[in-house]
Amino acid sequence: MSPKRARTPGASRVQAVDHPLRRRLLDLLAVDGPSTVSILAATTGEMVGNISHHLKVLATAGVIEEVPELAKDKRERWWKSVWSSYSWRLGDDEPGAELIGGVAEESNVTYRAAKVRDWVARRPEYGTAWAEAELTLDVWLRLTPERLAELRGRLQDVLEEYVDQPSTEAEAEPVYLFAQGVPAQP
């Protein structure tokens, strides 16, 4: 699903996604495509019952859905991600929205930092071409909220092209990309 089609979640969706195993399951479905409970259990090393439970939570939250056309029989269930990227901002009318959103955003920052730390530790395994292609952006801008929203939209348009037209060459690897633009002081 393209970043442009991202939705702002409700508290239940944020709580569903803000769990380490469920986040990993979403990542696997996003990178590897549709999968079954058995395949996900084998990939993660978790018990089938545990994976099934977490997939039900994600389905109830509306971030994954069943793909019945992939099933070979009535017992087999395939799942796909309909999740792309969500803002952690919740409506003011939701009970506990500020607390839930804040905890989830902090968890998301930790998740992102872990991905970068893992890359730094494993960079030599990937070789020169990947090290030279690495994308690291760090820039100070002076913007109004309206211009920041405009920049976000333009970046989402560019990213949508890459999400919808992934590289198919043998050397293509999953690439985790995140950007954050927030008011800050030097």
Side-chain angles (χ1 to χ4, degrees), residues 78-151:
W78 285 80
W79 298 92
K80 72 175 184 176
S81 174
V82 294
W83 184 78
S84 173
S85 177
Y86 291 113
S87 162
W88 296 112
R89 286 167 279 170
L90 303 174
D92 292 335
D93 58 337
E94 294 192 63
E98 187 174 329
L99 177 62
I100 293 167
V103 169
E105 186 59 38
E106 181 62 34
S107 176
N108 213 23
V109 168
T110 301
Y111 173 85
R112 292 170 180 164
K115 293 289 184 202
V116 174
R117 281 190 202 99
D118 184 58
W119 158 251
V120 170
R122 297 179 56 216
R123 186 177 4 212
E125 298 171 27
Y126 283 90
T128 306
W130 281 105
E132 290 176 357
E134 172 187 11
L135 170 63
T136 301
L137 299 175
D138 187 342
V139 62
W140 284 97
L141 305 170
R142 185 170 294 275
L143 302 172
T144 62
E146 295 78 18
R147 289 203 60 215
L148 180 58
E150 174 191 337
L151 176 60

Side-chain angles (χ1 to χ4, degrees), residues 57-86:
V57 172
L58 292 170
T60 300
V63 295
I64 66 169
E65 65 185 19
E66 197 169 349
V67 191
E69 59 271 17
L70 295 179
K72 295 176 191 144
D73 58 46
K74 292 183 189 265
R75 295 179 314 166
E76 188 176 66
R77 295 177 77 182
W78 285 80
W79 298 92
K80 72 175 184 176
S81 174
V82 294
W83 184 78
S84 173
S85 177
Y86 291 113

Side-chain angles (χ1 to χ4, degrees), residues 5 24 31 44 58 62 65 68 102 104 114 117 119 125 173 175-176:
R5 292 180 231 140
R24 183 162 183 222
V31 171
T44 61
L58 292 170
E65 65 185 19
R117 281 190 202 99
W119 158 251
E125 298 171 27
E173 293 273 347
V175 172
Y176 179 71

